[in-house]
Amino acid sequence: KMILGPHMRSPACSHLLVFLLAQFITAFCLFAYVRLTRDPGPDLWPGLPSTLTTQPGNKMATPQIGSELTILLWTWPFGQRTDLRKCTEFFDIQDCHITANRSWYHKADAVIVHHRDVCYNRKALPQGPRTPSQRWIWFNLESPSHSPNLGFMDHLFNLTMSYRRDSDIFTPYGWLEVLSQPQNFSIPAKSKLVAWAVSNWSPASHRVKYYGELKKYIQVDIYGSHHMPLPRDKQLSILSQYKFYLAFENSLHEDYITEKLWKNALGSGAVPVVLGPPRENYERFLPSDAFIHIDDFPTAQGLAQYLQELDKDQVRYQRYFQWRTWLKPSEPPFWALHFCKACQALQVTERYQSIPALAKWFQ
Ligand SMILES: *[C@@H]1O[C@H](CO)[C@@H](O)[C@H](O)[C@H]1NC(C)=O
Ligand SMILES: *[C@@H]1O[C@H](CO)[C@@H](O)[C@H](O)[C@H]1NC(C)=O
Ligand SMILES: *[C@@H]1O[C@H](CO)[C@@H](O)[C@H](O)[C@H]1NC(C)=O
C-alpha cells in the first residue's frame, strides 16, 4: 500500500519499486509464518533468515507462561561491559533476565557465548554440566577469516547468532526501515569527493591493492590509524562532506556487510562504493541504486572515471538518494538489541537448526 505512489515514474524509482516488491513478498512470507507463532516485534528490514520458514530442526521447549527466561552472557563482548536495555523496548515480548553473573549458570535457560572471547582456549568455554533444557548460543559478528579456532565450537551449540541471514538469530550490522510517510531527503552539503576510513591496513589485502590502483586516477582521503584522524564524535560530520565513501570489507563472505556500509557510508549520507560479497548479495539488503559496486567496473580506472562523471552531474548523483524517499537506514544499538533478539528468539522461534559442525557451516 505504501509503495504505489503516483510520483514513482523515473527509472530509478522503478528499480526501487521492484526492490520493494521483492522484499515485500519475502517479508510477507516471513510475516505470515511468524504470525502463526507469535508477534514478530517491530518491522525490521529485511532480516529474513529463510531457514526459519523451510528447515526442520529441533523443537524449542515452550517456555512456561509467566516465567522470565534467564540469559547468561558468558562474557561481555570483547570483555567490555555494555549497557543492557529492557527487551520490551524493542519487541512485544516478555522481558528476559539478562546477566553476566556466572552464578546464574545452572539456572540459565540460555548461555550466549561470544566467539572471540573464548576461541583462544577451550577452557574459556563453559565447563559445567548443563541442564537438559539449557541452550547454548554461539554469537559472532566477525567474518570467518577473522574467527580463529572455529573447530573448538563443534558439537556444543544449539543456536547460532551472527550477521549471516541463515543464522537462528540474525543480527545484521544494519537494515532498512520502511517509512510510513514519504520524506524529502536532503543530501548533506558536499565539498569533497572520496573518503575511506581504515584501521587495519594490510598491504597484501584485496582492498589495499584495489585502493593502490584507484588512487592513480582519483583522489582518496584516508582516515584511521596511520592516516588522518577521525574522532568518533566528528566522524559523521567529516564523512558527510564526501560524495562517496569506500565501504571496503576486510574479507569477502556472504552477508558480511558491516558498519562500513551502514554507519560510515549510509549513516553519514555518502554514497557507498562497496567491496565485499557480490552485488546480488548487497541487493538482498539494499535497493540496487543505493550503492556502487566495484565489480560494476572492469578496472579501478573505470570506477574512478564513473565517480568523476557523477561528480560533475548533480542529477545522476542525486539518483543514489531516491530510495531514501521511502526507506531509512538503521543500525542496532550495540549490543543491547542483539541480546534482546536472543530473548525474542527463545520465546518466539519454534524450531532451530542445531548445527553440530559449526566450523563447516561458518565459512
Ligand atoms: C551474582 O549472583 C549471585 C546470586 O544471585 C549473587 O549472590 C552475587 O552477589 C552476584 N554477584 C555479583 C558480582 O553481582
Ligand atoms: C544442545 O546441543 C548439545 C550439543 O549438541 C546437546 O547435547 C543438547 O542436548 C542440546 N540441547 C538442547 C536443549 O537442544
Ligand atoms: C517534498 O517536496 C515536494 C516538492 O518540492 C513538496 O511538494 C512536498 O510537499 C514535499 N514533501 C514533504 C514530505 O516535505
Side-chain angles (χ1 to χ4, degrees):
K1 59 176 192 280
M2 67 296 217
I3 44 184
L4 301 172
H7 43 275
M8 310 285 280
R9 269 189 213 111
S10 75
C13 281
S14 55
H15 286 157
L16 174 62
L17 188 66
V18 169
F19 173 78
L20 282 172
L21 274 175
Q23 293 292 345
F24 179 76
I25 290 162
T26 327
F28 180 79
C29 293
L30 180 76
F31 181 71
Y33 168 78
V34 174
R35 274 297 287 269
L36 293 176
T37 56
R38 256 199 196 189
D39 192 292
D43 206 3
L44 302 184
W45 189 276
L48 310 173
S50 53
T51 48
L52 266 185
T53 54
T54 54
Q55 292 214 348
N58 291 9
K59 197 142 172 60
M60 288 270 191
T62 316
Q64 286 172 330
I65 302 299
S67 67
E68 197 180 56
L69 297 180
T70 293
I71 299 177
L72 173 64
L73 307 176
W74 185 246
T75 61
W76 290 107
F78 302 105
Q80 282 166 6
R81 176 181 284 273
T82 62
D83 288 337
L84 296 172
R85 304 248 288 263
K86 279 194 176 306
C87 295
T88 48
E89 283 179 34
F90 301 118
F91 303 109
D92 185 14
I93 51 168
Q94 186 171 25
D95 203 6
C96 290
H97 168 224
I98 301 174
T99 176
N101 178 346
R102 289 189 183 176
S103 309
W104 283 89
Y105 176 74
H106 297 286
K107 285 192 183 151
D109 297 284
V111 183
I112 294 181
V113 179
H114 183 244
H115 183 79
R116 187 59 76 90
D117 301 318
V118 297
C119 67
Y120 294 109
N121 180 358
R122 281 177 199 269
K123 294 223 171 74
L125 285 156
Q127 302 292 322
R130 47 176 131 169
T131 57
S133 64
Q134 186 177 78
R135 279 148 287 172
W136 287 16
I137 301 172
W138 181 74
F139 181 34
N140 188 16
L141 297 182
E142 303 299 316
S143 82
S145 301
H146 294 90
S147 303
N149 300 332
L150 286 163
F152 287 7
M153 308 299 149
D154 283 351
H155 308 292
L156 286 178
F157 287 91
N158 307 106
L159 291 92
T160 52
M161 175 155 140
S162 84
Y163 63 83
R164 282 242 318 235
R165 271 173 304 128
D166 58 348
S167 304
D168 294 298
I169 304 165
F170 176 45
T171 48
Y173 282 83
W175 58 85
L176 298 181
E177 278 167 17
V178 182
L179 299 170
S180 51
Q181 290 286 319
Q183 67 162 352
N184 288 334
F185 180 78
S186 52
I187 302 173
K190 305 288 179 188
S191 53
K192 298 171 178 175
L193 202 52
V194 187
W196 184 25
V198 55
S199 46
N200 219 330
W201 185 274
S202 30
S205 67
H206 182 30
R207 59 181 183 180
V208 171
K209 284 191 197 150
Y210 192 90
Y211 158 74
E213 269 304 297
L214 189 65
K215 74 167 183 191
K216 292 182 192 163
Y217 308 102
I218 195 168
Q219 163 75 31
V220 177
D221 293 351
I222 305 191
Y223 294 88
S225 46
H226 309 301
H227 296 98
M228 287 188 282
L230 188 64
R232 207 169 273 269
D233 56 329
K234 299 220 177 67
Q235 179 171 322
L236 211 132
S237 61
I238 292 176
L239 297 182
S240 68
Q241 299 165 27
Y242 287 87
K243 287 198 169 166
F244 305 100
Y245 181 83
L246 304 184
F248 285 7
E249 300 301 346
N250 63 23
S251 49
L252 312 189
H253 299 276
E254 185 163 359
D255 297 341
Y256 187 62
I257 298 171
T258 68
E259 80 290 342
K260 295 168 183 66
L261 174 96
W262 292 106
K263 184 171 176 212
N264 301 9
L266 297 178
S268 67
V271 172
V273 176
V274 303
L275 178 158
R279 173 170 266 282
E280 302 84 76
N281 197 182
Y282 280 90
E283 290 182 5
R284 297 236 166 132
F285 297 88
L286 291 168
S288 58
D289 54 1
F291 65 97
I292 296 164
H293 199 294
I294 66 149
D295 294 349
D296 298 343
F297 305 90
T299 61
Q301 183 178 11
L303 171 64
Q305 241 164 31
Y306 183 69
L307 299 183
Q308 274 149 353
E309 280 170 31
L310 286 183
D311 183 35
K312 294 190 204 94
D313 189 338
Q314 188 62 6
V315 174
R316 272 167 81 199
Y317 179 71
Q318 280 170 356
R319 287 197 192 131
Y320 283 93
F321 294 86
Q322 267 175 8
W323 58 277
R324 293 197 191 236
T325 310
W326 286 103
L327 298 168
K328 181 166 90 69
S330 192
E331 297 157 57
F334 275 75
W335 300 73
L337 179 62
H338 300 101
F339 303 145
C340 286
K341 280 203 163 176
C343 170
Q344 182 200 37
L346 291 167
Q347 297 177 51
V348 167
T349 311
E350 291 255 300
R351 290 171 184 280
Y352 53 92
Q353 303 177 84
S354 252
I355 292 168
L358 204 133
K360 188 157 169 282
W361 173 72
F362 197 67
Q363 285 181 6

